[in-house]
Amino acid sequence: MNSKQVVLITGSSTGFGRLFTDTLARKGHTVFATMRDPGGRNAKNASEIRALAEKDSLPIHVLEMDVTNDASVERAVDAAVAKAGRIDVAINNAGYYLSGLEEAVTTEQAQRLMDTNFFGPVRVNRAVLPHMRRQRSGVLMHISSGAGREAYSYELAGQGIESVILQPGQYETPVFGNTVRAADEARTDTYGAVKEIPAKVNGALSSTAGNAQDVADAVLRIIETPAGEKQLRYVVSPQDFGLSEINALSKRVQTSVLEAFGLAADTKFRKGKAVAAV
Ligand SMILES: NC(=O)c1ccc[n+]([C@@H]2O[C@H](COP(=O)([O-])OP(=O)(O)OC[C@H]3O[C@@H](n4cnc5c(N)ncnc54)[C@H](OP(=O)(O)O)[C@@H]3O)[C@@H](O)[C@H]2O)c1
């Protein structure tokens, strides 16, 4: 793989996405920093990123992308491919937390969360995969995305495309300020002392948060790891809490299921032949 890659990042206005943009571009990777409404609510963030790119001659292009909108996702991916000719890495980073007791989360809040955190990556991956499959190479990276991730990794390995999941622990970004609270307070109030749990969890997370640059450095290491040598999951966290153990166990279980179903060979990574730019 070309050592300088073309990377599309969702949710680049603030936090991790913005740090990934800066960190990868400073290493010479071309970054399409996508965000909602760069001409309106994110105008300040977009112009700061553009000014930085200009000042330090960084290969960064800001594009509009709302991951809840099919047309917006397709427009941004088309624009990136028209400009760079390819997309090597798609980082599904856009998302937010919803905090509260399960019962107090309204159906509408749950649907909205899924539309961003789960269907967002589905839209982005559907838009970039035709290009990656033509290239017979590529990386889908998921910053703690939901279900469907195993399927991507297994289905695409034979075509030279990797799917990886980065599981960040708690890091200092605007995420805690952007957290949506469960809206049904009447339900929350019936839970007695248990209703304090979400606030306690949020307090513990924000008071032990690490430096978000560690996550951006991990993303850089992952995308610069040669094709076929990447892990499915990476835990990057101030505290491990035994997560690596769960992942190792999950890997062993998945390997035996694949072997039992006779799928081990079909799901093994195979480097594809490079083809001309799209
Ligand atoms: N920081 C942590 O401790 C931590 C830990 C684990 C996982 N994460 C995950 O890491 C990801 C990035 O979060 P962060 O910590 O960097 O917090 P953040 O600063 O709040 O970033 C979230 C980003 O997602 C964007 N976004 C939200 N909805 C969107 C949509 N519909 N379309 C496009 N962009 C959208 C936001 O854009 P706007 O500016 O337009 O709102 C913002 O750029 C999130 O998925 C979060 O859940 C964070």
Side-chain angles (χ1 to χ4, degrees):
M1 180 177 276
N2 186 336
S3 63
K4 296 301 169 222
Q5 301 180 48
V6 177
V7 186
L8 180 135
I9 306 174
T10 69
S12 308
S13 56
T14 55
F16 286 154
R18 181 126 167 209
L19 270 179
F20 299 164
T21 298
D22 187 85
T23 302
L24 303 186
R26 287 194 188 281
K27 291 287 177 179
H29 300 293
T30 297
V31 177
F32 289 95
T34 74
M35 67 185 69
R36 288 191 284 200
D37 205 8
R41 54 177 291 204
N42 273 321
K44 184 168 175 284
N45 293 321
S47 70
E48 283 169 5
I49 294 171
R50 286 191 179 113
L52 184 83
E54 173 93 357
K55 178 168 110 3
D56 294 347
S57 302
L58 300 175
I60 300 174
H61 310 278
V62 175
L63 291 176
E64 188 276 335
M65 186 198 282
D66 180 340
V67 301
T68 65
N69 180 316
D70 286 13
S72 163
V73 170
E74 282 158 22
R75 245 193 333 268
V77 169
D78 287 350
V81 172
K83 178 100 188 155
R86 57 188 295 121
I87 293 179
D88 296 308
V89 184
I91 304 183
N92 284 298
N93 165 73
Y96 65 94
Y97 282 170
L98 203 169
S99 164
L101 302 175
E102 299 293 338
E103 193 185 333
V105 174
T106 65
T107 311
E108 201 208 354
Q109 284 188 303
Q111 281 172 333
R112 236 183 285 137
L113 184 81
M114 289 297 280
D115 204 20
T116 302
N117 291 15
F118 175 73
F119 290 108
V122 171
R123 289 186 186 94
V124 170
N125 294 347
R126 269 181 59 79
V128 300
L129 275 172
H131 302 290
M132 291 184 174
R133 296 196 313 114
R134 245 193 311 273
Q135 295 161 197
R136 296 197 68 81
S137 70
V139 179
L140 302 176
M141 186 179 293
H142 304 94
I143 307 299
S144 281
S145 96
R149 52 208 184 170
E150 303 307 328
Y152 278 126
S153 153
Y154 297 144
E155 290 173 9
L156 297 167
Q159 303 190 58
I161 299 167
E162 295 162 291
S163 176
V164 305
I165 301 157
L166 193 150
Q167 300 177 294
Q170 65 280 26
Y171 284 95
E172 252 180 72
T173 69
V175 79
F176 299 109
N178 290 338
T179 301
V180 172
R181 313 275 159 203
D184 195 337
E185 285 175 23
R187 298 280 181 113
T188 301
D189 284 340
T190 63
Y191 271 70
V194 168
K195 77 176 185 187
E196 306 304 332
I197 289 177
K200 282 187 185 160
V201 171
N202 293 339
L205 286 175
S206 53
S207 64
T208 54
N211 180 348
Q213 184 63 42
D214 293 350
V215 183
D217 292 342
V219 167
L220 180 66
R221 280 198 301 278
I222 295 167
I223 78 161
E224 293 188 344
T225 298
E229 292 176 23
K230 295 182 188 68
Q231 297 167 205
L232 173 59
R233 290 194 176 81
Y234 293 88
V235 176
V236 183
S237 183
Q239 290 139 293
D240 184 83
F241 296 121
L243 269 175
S244 303
E245 251 177 87
I246 293 177
N247 287 348
L249 176 64
S250 156
K251 189 178 175 190
R252 282 203 300 280
V253 171
Q254 283 166 4
T255 304
S256 41
V257 171
L258 291 175
E259 280 166 3
F261 287 3
L263 294 172
D266 295 332
T267 54
K268 211 172 153 56
F269 181 82
R270 280 193 297 279
K271 205 167 174 181
K273 259 194 285 164
V275 294
V278 180

